[in-house]
Amino acid sequence: MKAGIVGLPNVGKSTLFNCLSSAKAQAANFPFCTIDAQLGQVSVPDERLTRLAEIVKPGRIVPAVCDIVDIAGLVKGASKGEGLGNQFLANIRECDAIIHVLRCFDDSGIVHVDGSVDPVRDKEIIDMELQLKDLETLENRAKRVEKAARVGGDKAAKIEMDVIDAYRKALLEGKSARTVTFDTEDETAAAKSLFLLTAKPVLYVCNVDDKSASTGNVHTERVAEAIKDEDAEMLVISAQTEADIAELETYEEKHMFLEDMGLSESGCNRLIKAIYSLLTLQTFITAGEMEVKAWTFRKGWKAPQCAGVIHTDFEKGFIRAEVIKYDDYIKYGSEAAVREAGKMGVEGKEYVVQDGDIMHFRFNV
């Protein structure tokens, strides 16, 4: 699963990417500093792993990870190929979610591609370019299915055409595809098959100055008002503050820095958790002497699917899952104590795994 960081040039995308990942994308004060999309892998902060490790004392802790892509800045006209438009849009299409960075700080020393700071205008520029590309996609698809839907009596084609019409109506009103919902599984499947850019989940990241990192500012208030009717989330972060934190070597130094800023947790940690949630991902845990490890699964998956995350044989030969709730493990202090207290669940194929479940799978192949 990949989340793409997008935005206009010079809004702080690469600075944020550098803070999130070990990769070092070039960050400089001129448009199109980032040309090729860059991939970084980030660990998902999870305090539960540390707590469990204190009890189990494993050889290592292995957190969950997710992929972040730093995508070149987009400009007006990208849907028609302006700037790096074609490359930009292709990179977004390959991502599962969009992290839309908006400049919400005033600094005359940093160039803005449109000459002034206006995050709502910036948001609308990118929204419009993605919507125009989606309209183009819908028009091309409609040419292929309209005749079969209107004349040929093809049921699947008619469902797809109805979906196309619903999306076109919303896009022509300046709304993104993710604002459109469908009632049936067939419609939902047809919608997914279109792979629209504006159907992807989005998180707006308001990049503010240091002083606004804990409180936000007038720019972030305008963004919050602008997205209130969207199915989207918003996060306030100072990318420069995060860059300063990243330079500190010890946990104590970072903790003191955050306290001075009035923050309880770094913006990067909050952002990674938000991305993980945006991708509808959750974590189950295995805990043993060798390692305490977080495994990523899609929310709503059942036990055999989660077993398959560890190894395909686990899913093929699934017998049952032994499940301990995280709070119970912490309360009783060991797996043996949990068993003795009768708090270990034995679950079958229909069990829907919950975030934080500590799992042991029984299988036979």
Side-chain angles (χ1 to χ4, degrees), residues 188-231:
T188 301
K192 287 182 178 179
S193 73
L194 295 170
F195 300 105
L196 299 182
L197 300 175
T198 64
K200 297 179 186 294
V202 63
L203 171 68
Y204 292 102
V205 176
C206 296
N207 183 16
V208 299
D209 56 84
D210 290 357
K211 294 178 181 178
S212 304
S214 62
T215 60
N217 57 29
V218 66
H219 295 307
T220 62
E221 290 172 4
R222 291 186 61 226
V223 173
E225 178 65 21
I227 70 168
K228 66 180 183 182
D229 294 326
E230 287 191 37
D231 182 16

Side-chain angles (χ1 to χ4, degrees), residues 68 102 112 126 145-146 196 258 279:
I68 309 292
L102 297 168
H112 190 291
I126 289 191
V145 300
E146 191 166 18
L196 299 182
L258 287 170
L279 292 168

Side-chain angles (χ1 to χ4, degrees), residues 16 20 43-45 47 99 203-206 208 212-216 234-239 241-242 245 258 261-278:
L16 197 58
L20 287 170
S43 298
V44 179
E47 298 80 5
I99 312 305
L203 171 68
Y204 292 102
V205 176
C206 296
V208 299
S212 304
S214 62
T215 60
M234 183 184 112
L235 201 63
V236 176
I237 285 179
S238 168
T241 297
E242 298 304 312
I245 293 171
L258 287 170
M261 295 293 297
L263 299 169
S264 59
E265 185 178 24
S266 77
C268 281
N269 279 7
R270 290 186 289 118
L271 177 55
I272 295 167
K273 291 177 181 178
I275 292 169
Y276 202 66
S277 175
L278 189 68

